[in-house]
Amino acid sequence: MIPQIKTIEEYHQQYTQSIEHPETFWAGIAEHFEWKQKWTQVLEWNFTEPKVKWFGSGKLNITENCLDRHQTTRRNQTAIIWEPNNPGDKSRHISYGELFELVQQFANVLIQQGVKKGDRICIYLPMVPEAVVAMLACARVGAIHSVVFAGFSSQSLADRINDAECKLLITADGMIRGEKKVELKQIADEAMQLSPCVERCIVFNHKSFTVQMQAGRDLWWNDLMAAASPLHEAESMDSEDPLFILYTSGSTGKPKGVLHTTAGYMVYAAYTFKNVFQYQDQDVFCCTADIGWVTGHTYIVYGPLLNGAVTLMFEGIPSYPDTGRFWSLIEKHKVNYFYTAPTAIRSLQLHGEEPFKGKDLSSLKVLGTVGEPINEEAWHWYHQNAGKGNCPIVDTWWQTETGGILISPLAGITLLKPAYATLPLPGVQPVLVDEKGNEISGNGVEGNLCIKFPWPGIARSLYGDHERFRSMYFSTYPNLYFTGDGCKRDEDGYYRITGRVDDVINVSGHRIGTGEVEDAIDEHGYVVESAVVAFPHEIKGQGIYAFVICDRNVPDEEVLRSEIRNHVSKMIGAFARPDKIQMVNALPKTRSGKIMRRILRKIAEGDTSNLGDISTLIDPLVIDAIKAGAENLNG
Ligand code: 7RM
């Protein structure tokens, strides 16, 4: 059993030990896993190349830790509860014994399809247990999974498949979320037109939609499973063998394939799950993230299964069939831990207390939030209404690149402050730095958040582009991992994340690069240039504001706006559609040709009283025109 901190004194004592003797500390945690061969060197690292190796020379398979090891004690215990989109449809309970068998079968299917250790496999599936089976089967045979969120467009799917050169795609006929039908196989077909590297496509029949199956390429999941043996011996993996790739947006260029490896990620996912949420055996854990984001990977799949937990997978959305759905789901499955995003909380807040009426939420012990800063009002509303004032809220700060939670309260142990992620977990050494890269020491300060020592879950590279990995995260401040987030440390040493300081926008907890949206907009025939910034949005946290220059007279601005929005949907996905589009004649540029986003952000925020220093602008008059246009647009 993975150790669990029980008191705040124990936290402080372990924190100190983890900083003074990190190798001893993490070796002590790693001992609680199944190894085929023990490691010989706990840690080898530098942040200049950068190079990070945890548990060097160790051999293991993460699925033996998720499945095989639980077979003697938990064969009949539920591993996954699946709650469908439509509450009238039957939910599913899959035991550790059943999951083990499914994963072994699908591992044999993969082998039969020619999958070898190190191959990349793309998973484009709805929120169904088969997604978990597919991920674990990849890990079992040593293939690297790349899960793509099923809200991405065919173009984005193709970009991700091509970047990792995936030879197999696993998808479904389609899905229904809320009332929206999504034809996944059709989207996958379009993507495969652009992705010649895909040799085979395995299709899970979820909703019996009509699909086209291309002979020799497309195969049905059920046919393959029916013919596959339920016995598979897990591949022996090196600690540092890749486990998965997950694409995420940065401030510039195409999405990056964040690469995680086996042992460090495993140890970190399991340890943080058990300690942050204070998970108790047999309890029901529900994380509402999608499996296509890192939160789904670590806290729906790996963290819970490594701990032998009961993990609930919810296919639907918070507003279907009504805005009480979360609360019905908690009541129905007697959920003990509920982990969701601030954006969902804010959207439910609008509907008041009515949706809670008559619902028994007494099973709840701990609430959690993730993905974006939570405002104090939303925090209190969640605390009062979902938690009835007596469930701690863990505001967990982390990133795709960190693999697991880095800064968070330990539920019921750390004294809370609304909207604060509070204190670093053991092994995590945050530092705040100023613009020049000097460390800001002491309390009551604010700066850019960096981490100065590796933890086991840190990403090891960007797939196929280690130089970009170095320059994105390790070159801004020498010898530090730079998170891209701004942060305050208050008088008590508590951390409060204030949001991104780079050109990444966080819309409803979805990370979107301004550059990606601009590239999509610029493809419209009328558009010569665009600049995208965030503005505060009551529900989504941030919204997308696009300033667009056209090279001809626009006959109908509304038509153009909707064409631009549709094009962004097509290139990225509906979640990246700009909320506001303002046509402008020019953008504020410096003499060196750089767009002054700071000024555009101020205008988008509606705060034009003080635009700061505009002396470096080539043509300050441009600003008056943009200001006037913005007032026009926003009323
Ligand atoms: C887990 C996840 C990462 C970015 C990160 C932050 C923001 C995440 C919090 C938060 C304030 C939080 N991975 N973020 N958690 N901001 N408080 N508790 O979200 O790669 O998709 O996004 O999300 O800006 O850098 S992610």
Side-chain angles (χ1 to χ4, degrees):
M1 292 266 273
I2 296 152
Q4 194 171 43
I5 294 168
K6 284 278 132 219
T7 62
I8 194 72
E9 293 74 30
E10 217 184 310
Y11 160 76
H12 286 298
Q13 176 218 322
Q14 295 217 10
Y15 186 79
T16 307
Q17 196 223 340
S18 75
I19 303 311
E20 286 172 359
H21 307 288
E23 300 197 19
T24 318
F25 177 80
W26 287 113
I29 307 296
E31 269 172 26
H32 298 272
F33 294 80
E34 298 285 325
W35 297 82
K36 287 177 187 285
Q37 183 187 300
K38 227 183 136 180
W39 61 88
T40 54
Q41 186 171 7
V42 182
L43 174 64
E44 200 186 328
W45 75 288
N46 69 68
F47 275 174
T48 47
E49 287 175 60
K51 174 170 86 176
V52 177
K53 286 185 171 186
W54 279 97
F55 312 113
S57 304
K59 299 265 185 231
L60 72 160
N61 189 291
I62 194 170
T63 72
E64 289 191 331
N65 285 276
C66 291
L67 299 169
D68 305 51
R69 75 177 303 189
H70 301 313
Q71 294 308 309
T72 48
T73 46
R74 306 181 189 275
R75 236 189 127 66
N76 298 317
Q77 184 207 300
T78 301
I80 302 175
I81 301 175
W82 179 71
E83 171 69 15
N85 178 59
N86 182 349
D89 293 349
K90 260 178 66 186
S91 48
R92 289 165 67 183
H93 283 70
I94 297 171
S95 69
Y96 271 92
E98 289 161 339
L99 185 62
F100 186 35
E101 192 157 301
L102 289 167
V103 169
Q104 292 183 84
Q105 271 183 306
F106 200 65
N108 285 323
V109 166
L110 293 176
I111 287 170
Q112 224 172 46
Q113 294 308 315
V115 172
K116 302 246 150 36
K117 185 170 176 168
D119 286 347
R120 278 80 53 214
I121 295 184
C122 181
I123 299 176
Y124 186 66
L125 282 172
M127 284 289 288
V128 290
E130 283 69 19
V132 181
V133 172
M135 289 166 75
L136 295 178
C138 288
R140 196 158 181 97
V141 305
I144 307 169
H145 58 72
S146 167
V147 182
V148 175
F149 171 54
F152 276 112
S153 67
S154 57
Q155 181 67 52
S156 292
L157 174 59
D159 291 345
R160 285 157 179 73
I161 290 173
N162 293 338
D163 185 76
E165 294 174 89
C166 297
K167 65 186 225 186
L168 179 73
L169 172 62
I170 304 167
T171 190
D173 53 336
M175 63 177 183
I176 304 175
R177 288 194 80 212
E179 282 167 355
K180 199 171 149 225
K181 248 177 126 169
V182 185
E183 309 268 356
L184 292 173
K185 176 60 165 62
Q186 212 168 295
I187 300 171
D189 287 340
E190 287 164 28
M192 284 188 283
Q193 294 286 313
L194 308 168
S195 302
C197 52
V198 176
E199 296 164 12
R200 290 273 187 288
C201 177
I202 299 179
V203 187
F204 174 65
N205 179 14
H206 180 39
K207 297 260 96 179
S208 296
F209 289 179
T210 311
V211 297
Q212 286 182 19
M213 298 292 278
Q214 190 181 99
R217 185 194 69 187
D218 301 346
L219 303 157
W220 287 108
W221 172 291
N222 282 346
D223 295 347
L224 297 170
M225 286 293 266
S229 147
L231 289 177
H232 175 276
E233 174 116 18
E235 187 74 33
S236 176
M237 304 300 285
D238 191 273
S239 288
E240 285 298 334
D241 276 338
L243 174 63
F244 67 86
I245 300 168
L246 192 55
Y247 286 84
T248 192
S249 297
S251 43
T252 53
K254 297 181 300 161
K256 322 166 274 186
V258 174
L259 183 81
H260 283 284
T261 58
T262 304
Y265 174 81
M266 171 183 81
V267 168
Y268 202 69
Y271 177 78
T272 54
F273 174 78
K274 179 122 189 211
N275 282 278
V276 169
F277 298 99
Q278 289 289 302
Y279 182 81
Q280 301 297 312
D281 208 32
Q282 309 294 325
D283 280 355
V284 177
F285 183 85
C286 171
C287 165
T288 68
D290 193 281
I291 213 132
W293 308 113
V294 75
T295 307
H297 281 55
T298 307
Y299 299 109
I300 295 177
V301 183
Y302 289 110
L305 298 180
L306 287 163
N307 280 283
V310 185
T311 181
L312 192 155
M313 225 180 152
F314 174 43
E315 187 191 20
I317 56 173
S319 56
Y320 179 83
D322 58 56
T323 51
R325 184 65 191 275
F326 275 176
W327 324 125
S328 311
L329 173 138
I330 291 168
E331 177 176 52
K332 177 173 172 187
H333 297 290
K334 301 199 169 41
V335 170
N336 304 109
Y337 309 79
F338 187 72
Y339 189 32
T340 195
T343 189
I345 298 166
R346 287 191 297 264
S347 73
L348 295 174
Q349 212 180 337
L350 293 180
H351 302 278
E353 292 166 24
E354 183 62 29
F356 289 94
K357 294 239 165 81
K359 301 216 171 112
D360 178 7
L361 304 188
S362 60
S363 58
L364 282 177
K365 293 185 180 177
V366 175
L367 300 171
T369 68
V370 60
E372 47 177 327
I374 184 164
N375 46 310
E376 287 184 42
E377 304 72 53
W379 194 99
H380 286 292
W381 186 85
Y382 190 39
H383 191 249
Q384 270 318 311
N385 292 289
K388 311 299 175 205
N390 49 39
C391 297
I393 297 179
V394 289
D395 176 349
T396 64
W397 174 82
W398 59 297
Q399 311 176 295
T400 306
E401 296 86 343
T402 69
I405 298 164
L406 293 195
I407 305 182
S408 169
L410 303 180
I413 293 174
T414 312
L415 188 70
L416 304 175
K417 274 189 204 181
Y420 278 78
T422 75
L423 299 171
L425 298 189
V428 175
Q429 304 191 34
V431 292
L432 300 184
V433 295
D434 65 18
E435 301 291 281
K436 295 190 191 88
N438 301 313
E439 185 169 337
I440 308 168
S441 53
N443 289 340
V445 293
E446 183 167 1
N448 288 347
L449 178 60
C450 295
I451 317 285
K452 73 170 169 201
F453 195 87
W455 60 99
I458 188 175
R460 302 301 196 261
S461 194
L462 295 179
Y463 187 78
D465 201 347
H466 197 67
E467 168 49 25
R468 190 166 173 217
F469 183 61
R470 188 196 63 76
S471 84
M472 294 288 313
Y473 305 105
F474 300 92
S475 71
T476 319
Y477 306 110
N479 291 313
L480 296 176
Y481 165 78
F482 176 44
T483 65
D485 280 315
C487 182
K488 289 181 178 156
R489 185 167 52 219
D490 77 358
E491 295 302 337
D492 298 324
Y494 270 39
Y495 291 85
R496 177 178 190 153
I497 313 299
T498 51
R500 301 290 303 197
V501 294
D502 55 8
D503 291 323
V504 170
I505 302 186
N506 194 324
V507 182
S508 303
H510 295 198
R511 235 170 106 167
I512 302 169
T514 53
E516 283 172 80
V517 183
E518 288 163 2
D519 288 349
I521 294 174
D522 294 350
E523 284 182 18
H524 190 285
Y526 279 34
V527 178
V528 276
E529 195 179 6
S530 63
V532 163
V533 297
F535 70 96
H537 189 287
E538 210 190 323
I539 293 165
K540 301 196 228 178
Q542 292 189 319
I544 300 181
Y545 196 125
F547 297 89
V548 173
I549 307 178
C550 294
D551 65 352
R552 67 194 83 165
N553 269 337
V554 177
D556 185 334
E557 287 201 356
E558 270 319 302
V559 171
L560 180 61
R561 285 197 180 92
S562 85
E563 282 176 12
I564 288 176
R565 288 198 176 100
N566 291 341
H567 192 67
V568 173
S569 274
K570 192 177 148 213
M571 297 306 290
I572 306 174
F575 61 87
R577 291 161 71 98
D579 299 88
K580 295 185 181 177
I581 302 175
Q582 181 184 342
M583 316 300 168
V584 296
N585 292 319
L587 290 166
K589 289 195 178 165
T590 62
R591 270 163 243 280
S592 58
K594 272 189 94 168
I595 297 172
M596 288 190 80
R597 290 171 184 281
R598 180 175 57 80
I599 292 175
L600 293 176
R601 255 179 242 130
K602 284 260 182 190
I603 294 173
E605 281 165 19
D607 169 20
T608 52
S609 52
N610 175 19
L611 290 179
D613 181 12
I614 55 168
S615 60
T616 54
L617 279 181
I618 253 187
D619 179 6
L621 287 182
V622 164
I623 291 181
D624 294 329
I626 299 178
K627 265 167 48 178
E631 276 160 27
N632 229 332
L633 182 74
N634 302 310

